[in-house]
Short mmCIF file of all heavy atoms in Angstrom, two decimals:
data_model
loop_
_atom_site.label_atom_id
_atom_site.label_comp_id
_atom_site.label_asym_id
_atom_site.label_seq_id
_atom_site.Cartn_x
_atom_site.Cartn_y
_atom_site.Cartn_z
N SER A 1660 -17.92 13.46 3.81
CA SER A 1660 -19.19 14.05 4.22
C SER A 1660 -19.56 13.70 5.67
O SER A 1660 -20.19 12.68 5.93
CB SER A 1660 -20.28 13.55 3.25
OG SER A 1660 -21.50 14.16 3.52
N HIS A 1661 -19.12 14.57 6.58
CA HIS A 1661 -19.44 14.40 8.00
C HIS A 1661 -19.28 15.74 8.70
O HIS A 1661 -18.75 16.69 8.10
CB HIS A 1661 -18.48 13.37 8.65
CG HIS A 1661 -17.06 13.83 8.67
ND1 HIS A 1661 -16.18 13.58 7.65
CD2 HIS A 1661 -16.38 14.62 9.55
CE1 HIS A 1661 -15.00 14.15 7.92
NE2 HIS A 1661 -15.11 14.79 9.07
N ASP A 1662 -19.74 15.84 9.92
CA ASP A 1662 -19.43 17.01 10.75
C ASP A 1662 -19.15 16.53 12.17
O ASP A 1662 -19.00 15.31 12.39
CB ASP A 1662 -20.55 18.07 10.68
CG ASP A 1662 -21.87 17.56 11.26
OD1 ASP A 1662 -21.87 16.51 11.95
OD2 ASP A 1662 -22.91 18.21 11.02
N ASP A 1663 -19.08 17.45 13.12
CA ASP A 1663 -18.71 17.05 14.49
C ASP A 1663 -19.72 16.10 15.11
O ASP A 1663 -19.40 15.35 16.04
CB ASP A 1663 -18.58 18.29 15.39
CG ASP A 1663 -17.35 19.10 15.02
OD1 ASP A 1663 -16.51 18.56 14.27
OD2 ASP A 1663 -17.26 20.26 15.48
N ASN A 1664 -20.95 16.12 14.61
CA ASN A 1664 -22.00 15.28 15.22
C ASN A 1664 -22.11 13.90 14.60
O ASN A 1664 -22.81 13.04 15.14
CB ASN A 1664 -23.36 15.98 15.13
CG ASN A 1664 -23.34 17.28 15.93
OD1 ASN A 1664 -22.66 17.37 16.94
ND2 ASN A 1664 -24.07 18.27 15.43
N GLY A 1665 -21.50 13.73 13.44
CA GLY A 1665 -21.58 12.40 12.83
C GLY A 1665 -21.55 12.42 11.32
O GLY A 1665 -21.06 13.36 10.69
N ILE A 1666 -22.12 11.34 10.76
CA ILE A 1666 -22.10 11.13 9.32
C ILE A 1666 -23.18 11.99 8.66
O ILE A 1666 -24.22 12.25 9.26
CB ILE A 1666 -22.37 9.64 9.01
CG1 ILE A 1666 -21.35 8.75 9.73
CG2 ILE A 1666 -22.37 9.37 7.51
CD1 ILE A 1666 -21.74 7.27 9.80
N ILE A 1667 -22.93 12.43 7.42
CA ILE A 1667 -23.97 13.10 6.62
C ILE A 1667 -24.06 12.34 5.30
O ILE A 1667 -23.27 12.60 4.38
CB ILE A 1667 -23.62 14.59 6.38
CG1 ILE A 1667 -23.39 15.31 7.71
CG2 ILE A 1667 -24.71 15.26 5.55
CD1 ILE A 1667 -22.90 16.75 7.58
N TRP A 1668 -24.95 11.38 5.19
CA TRP A 1668 -24.99 10.56 3.97
C TRP A 1668 -25.56 11.33 2.80
O TRP A 1668 -26.59 12.01 2.93
CB TRP A 1668 -25.88 9.32 4.18
CG TRP A 1668 -25.32 8.34 5.15
CD1 TRP A 1668 -25.85 7.99 6.36
CD2 TRP A 1668 -24.13 7.56 4.99
NE1 TRP A 1668 -25.04 7.06 6.96
CE2 TRP A 1668 -23.99 6.77 6.15
CE3 TRP A 1668 -23.17 7.45 3.99
CZ2 TRP A 1668 -22.92 5.89 6.33
CZ3 TRP A 1668 -22.11 6.57 4.17
CH2 TRP A 1668 -21.99 5.81 5.33
N PRO A 1669 -24.94 11.19 1.61
CA PRO A 1669 -25.63 11.64 0.40
C PRO A 1669 -26.90 10.79 0.27
O PRO A 1669 -26.88 9.60 0.64
CB PRO A 1669 -24.65 11.30 -0.72
CG PRO A 1669 -23.34 10.97 -0.07
CD PRO A 1669 -23.64 10.55 1.34
N ALA A 1670 -27.99 11.38 -0.22
CA ALA A 1670 -29.27 10.66 -0.28
C ALA A 1670 -29.14 9.32 -1.01
O ALA A 1670 -29.80 8.34 -0.65
CB ALA A 1670 -30.33 11.53 -0.95
N SER A 1671 -28.28 9.27 -2.03
CA SER A 1671 -28.19 8.06 -2.87
C SER A 1671 -27.74 6.82 -2.11
O SER A 1671 -28.02 5.71 -2.53
CB SER A 1671 -27.25 8.32 -4.04
OG SER A 1671 -25.95 8.64 -3.56
#
Side-chain angles (χ1 to χ4, degrees):
S1660 184
H1661 65 270
D1662 64 14
D1663 289 347
N1664 297 327
I1666 304 165
I1667 304 175
W1668 292 114
S1671 60

